[in-house]
Amino acid sequence: MNQTQMNCSGRNHTSQMKTWKFILQLNFDVIITVAALLGSYLMLRAFHKFQNLRTASNIILVSLSTADGLLAIPRILDIINLTLRYNAKYLLRMPVIQKVSGTFTFFLVSVIILHLALMSVERFIAIKFALTYHTIVTKRRSRIVSIAMWLWALVCSTPDGISYSKLRQCFLSPC
């Protein structure tokens, strides 16, 4: 131990490392959140502003961009949880925030993966059926399939899950 400095192996050093880790993680989370929101906003703004961007292919892209932008919500919940955990008064882990954030993240990642698969199918149709592409892939069909992807992800990613037997029972008899 030095006369002018604190003991580096003691409690103060650990506290400083914890503070720096918290600050770095918080900055990273905020940067990712702002980037997701800004990128999605720019995509939606361009789609809304320019008529020539409103194609069937871009409808799928806008739906994907919306899911990317909504990923900021679980990041904000994670920032709140991180801040509450760092503060000594709130040593609880806030399991409700973690559960909501995890479920919503899983839902949005499911939507994103389904939309990426949908874009792959759309590109395959564009290459394989180049001459009849515009009759196969229309704006109306793109909207319907995008909505179906959101609903499918919602059904498949609910926490307790809507089981197959419940769905089957609902379709066979009135709910």
Side-chain angles (χ1 to χ4, degrees):
M1 182 143 101
N2 193 331
Q3 293 288 339
T4 58
Q5 296 177 350
M6 296 292 288
N7 186 356
C8 289
S9 63
R11 181 187 241 177
N12 194 17
H13 180 68
T14 307
S15 169
Q16 288 175 348
M17 290 300 288
K18 185 178 176 184
T19 302
W20 278 105
K21 181 180 175 187
F22 169 73
I23 290 170
L24 286 174
Q25 188 171 3
L26 190 65
N27 284 331
F28 179 74
D29 287 347
V30 169
I31 289 169
I32 294 295
T33 302
V34 170
L37 288 172
L38 183 64
S40 295
Y41 170 76
L42 290 175
M43 175 65 191
L44 293 172
R45 180 78 175 139
F47 183 79
H48 178 71
K49 186 173 182 176
F50 300 109
Q51 183 72 28
N52 61 342
L53 290 179
R54 297 181 195 168
T55 63
S57 180
N58 285 346
I59 288 173
I60 299 168
L61 193 60
V62 164
S63 185
L64 174 67
S65 178
T66 303
D68 285 338
L70 288 176
L71 269 174
I73 293 171
R75 295 304 309 165
I76 291 169
L77 291 175
D78 289 342
I79 290 169
I80 292 169
N81 190 30
L82 179 70
T83 307
L84 289 175
R85 278 193 328 186
Y86 178 75
N87 195 344
K89 295 177 189 174
Y90 305 101
L91 290 176
L92 300 174
R93 290 192 171 238
M94 303 302 287
V96 173
I97 292 176
Q98 289 176 340
K99 217 176 255 188
V100 169
S101 175
T103 303
F104 200 59
T105 301
F106 183 69
F107 165 67
L108 290 173
V109 168
S110 300
V111 169
I112 289 169
I113 290 171
L114 289 172
H115 274 80
L116 291 174
L118 181 61
M119 288 172 65
S120 297
V121 169
E122 184 264 336
R123 290 289 87 202
F124 172 77
I125 292 170
I127 293 169
K128 183 76 173 171
F129 306 105
L131 297 176
T132 58
Y133 170 77
H134 292 293
T135 59
I136 297 171
V137 180
T138 63
K139 290 180 184 180
R140 182 174 182 267
R141 288 180 183 165
S142 293
R143 284 188 199 106
I144 290 170
V145 172
S146 287
I147 291 169
M149 293 296 132
W150 280 89
L151 293 176
W152 189 15
L154 181 66
V155 168
C156 294
S157 66
T158 53
D160 295 331
I162 299 174
S163 67
Y164 175 72
S165 61
K166 287 181 186 175
L167 283 176
R168 186 168 176 233
Q169 182 183 20
C170 189
F171 284 119
L172 294 178
S173 64
C175 293

